[in-house]
Amino acid sequence: MHLSTEHQQVADMTRRFANEVIRPQAERLDHEEAFAGDIYREMGEIGLFGIAVPEQYGGAGLDCLAYSLVMEELSRGYASVADQCGLVELLTTLLTQHGTEDQKQRWIAPLVRARQRGAYCITEAGAGSDVSGIKTTAVRQGDGWLLNGTKLWIHNAPVADVALVLARTDPAAGKRGMSIFIVDCHSAGVARGPKEHKLGQRSSQVGELHFKDVLLPAEALLGTEGRGFHMMMSVLEKGRIGIAALAVGIVQAGLEACVEQVKIRQQFGQAIAEFQAIQFMLADMAKDAEAARLLVRSAAMKIDAGLDATAAASMAKCYASDAAVAQSANAIQIFGGSGYIRGYEVERLYRDAKITQIYEGTNQIQRVIIARKLLKA
């Protein structure tokens, strides 16, 4: 798929940043489970957050295709860094599409410039794939709202300054009784659980956010009361494209590492690149990377054209994340015993890949979405 000059420049610039700034720090960030604050501040300065946010609010003013290119290239450097980019994109997309002018002016620029850290709060103990199962509530209190509940496995929860929180405002109305609130995480009644220690993407900070009688002003409501579920779901297509692109970056990083390794590693007196079995593994890895990449770009272009991208985004996310897990496992196989040892990039890629089959909707849910679209045709 041919890229425009502008899109190619975006991809090239992001790749340089990933090679020069992210990759040299990836092993340390993973080992220390460290928040990549310095990298994020630099990304904010050069415009790698809020890719599709209008320039008037501090974003790059580009499109979903550009966003997918940035996510892939950042992930080549380290998937955790790409994950932060994806989070900011979701938050700022919601604010751009549904916020008042005051809300946009107050919250978007600090997020895209990495001056504040955001969190996207849907998941609860009984509400993962089934978002309709959330129990967090917001009830009217004078002119404002009183928020109570707990969200778990929330990206940036241990460090967030602001959170977009999905809560029930009318328990009797089901999905039509949910609303989104902009919550200052330094408010009275907001508490954080401990940072979770994860298998992969260990630099991403994940934990719980607890809301106990948090008093919110009227202007904390984002968009229309009762439309929160629809609003959250409306950005998930873009979110799934972002995760799919992140997964492509993992496959591509593994492929590049393996191409170099097979020329160096020797068995039976020759480089393992000479063995057809190895060549077939590389070919399959390249094939999956390219197929996933094209699915991602096709879905992104549908969004940019204003078309229904529901099935396309699910296909891209499902295929790319499955490929990331399978091909990062093959990358370890190519490296042999050394690939199983901490400190080798392919070992980290394997751990980083697994979560892509789970977050932004499990791959089982993606298959349900695809099948429903087919059966409605």
Side-chain angles (χ1 to χ4, degrees):
M1 183 179 294
H2 177 71
L3 296 177
S4 69
T5 299
E6 182 181 35
H7 284 119
Q8 191 61 58
Q9 288 173 343
V10 169
D12 292 344
M13 182 269 286
T14 311
R15 176 170 285 218
R16 284 194 300 272
F17 183 82
N19 286 339
E20 296 170 7
V21 179
I22 300 173
R23 289 177 70 92
Q25 301 187 59
E27 182 183 345
R28 175 187 62 81
L29 291 169
D30 174 74
H31 177 73
E32 297 177 0
E33 302 182 44
F35 186 77
D38 290 343
I39 291 176
Y40 299 146
R41 281 187 287 274
E42 190 168 349
M43 288 170 63
E45 291 171 3
I46 65 176
L48 286 176
F49 286 129
I51 302 302
V53 170
E55 292 181 89
Q56 69 189 93
Y57 301 118
L62 300 174
D63 55 16
C64 190
L65 178 57
Y67 166 59
S68 72
L69 299 173
V70 168
M71 286 292 285
E72 177 183 341
E73 296 298 343
L74 290 176
S75 183
R76 278 184 64 260
Y78 184 23
S80 280
V81 172
D83 203 23
Q84 185 77 8
C85 179
L87 172 62
V88 173
E89 193 70 28
L90 286 187
L91 295 172
T92 54
T93 297
L94 277 169
L95 288 164
T96 299
Q97 292 180 354
H98 304 287
T100 65
E101 191 60 29
D102 285 345
Q103 289 171 334
K104 294 174 186 177
Q105 294 291 345
R106 179 178 180 185
W107 298 110
I108 294 177
L111 287 169
V112 299
R113 292 170 186 163
R115 295 175 183 171
Q116 288 193 336
R117 302 159 182 174
Y120 181 80
C121 301
I122 298 180
T123 305
E124 299 181 10
S129 296
D130 180 15
V131 177
S132 64
I134 68 164
K135 296 180 179 177
T136 296
T137 61
V139 298
R140 288 193 178 275
Q141 180 92 349
D143 293 334
W145 302 85
L146 200 64
L147 180 69
N148 282 280
T150 294
K151 301 291 185 177
L152 81 165
W153 300 326
I154 301 302
H155 187 179
N156 272 2
V159 297
D161 298 299
V162 59
L164 297 190
V165 181
L166 185 65
R168 289 193 175 279
T169 46
D170 183 354
K175 293 178 181 178
R176 294 181 177 85
M178 302 181 192
S179 305
I180 299 174
F181 294 90
I182 306 171
V183 180
D184 184 337
C185 293
H186 304 291
S187 301
V190 179
R192 310 167 195 269
K195 179 178 72 175
E196 301 287 357
H197 300 285
K198 301 185 276 90
L199 171 70
Q201 297 192 26
R202 287 156 53 90
S203 179
S204 299
Q205 310 292 292
V206 171
E208 296 181 357
L209 278 175
H210 305 277
F211 308 102
K212 176 66 174 176
D213 293 333
V214 180
L215 186 59
L216 302 174
E219 58 268 24
L221 177 67
L222 179 66
T224 304
E225 181 184 347
R227 294 290 290 168
F229 178 85
H230 172 78
M231 289 159 58
M232 285 287 199
M233 295 303 103
S234 71
V235 300
L236 283 184
E237 289 177 8
K238 190 177 188 182
R240 285 164 183 161
I241 290 170
I243 297 305
L246 180 153
V248 174
I250 290 175
V251 179
Q252 186 64 37
L255 173 60
E256 292 171 7
C258 287
V259 167
E260 293 303 313
Q261 176 70 0
V262 298
K263 298 173 184 176
I264 298 169
R265 186 181 176 204
Q266 296 215 348
Q267 293 291 305
F268 305 103
Q270 59 183 320
I272 63 172
E274 300 299 321
F275 298 116
Q276 192 176 62
I278 298 296
Q279 293 172 4
F280 282 3
M281 292 174 75
L282 293 175
D284 284 343
M285 200 176 293
K287 171 172 60 67
D288 274 4
E290 187 65 7
R293 182 177 292 115
L294 292 173
L295 281 170
V296 169
R297 295 181 183 180
S298 174
M301 292 172 70
K302 280 185 169 65
I303 284 184
D304 292 334
L307 302 175
D308 180 4
T310 303
S314 289
M315 288 178 187
K317 194 269 183 187
C318 189
Y319 186 90
S321 57
D322 282 348
V325 172
Q327 298 303 346
S328 59
N330 283 337
I332 289 179
Q333 197 74 15
I334 287 172
F335 270 69
S338 61
Y340 199 67
I341 303 300
R342 286 286 176 96
Y344 280 84
E345 182 183 23
V346 293
E347 182 270 343
R348 174 176 56 78
L349 293 174
Y350 185 56
R351 290 186 286 106
D352 288 346
K354 181 57 193 175
I355 190 61
T356 65
Q357 294 179 312
I358 300 172
Y359 60 9
E360 294 296 340
T362 67
N363 281 6
Q364 287 71 32
I365 290 295
Q366 303 313 314
R367 289 175 168 88
V368 168
I369 293 169
I370 296 164
R372 283 178 177 171
K373 294 294 285 189
L374 289 171
L375 294 172
K376 286 181 180 179

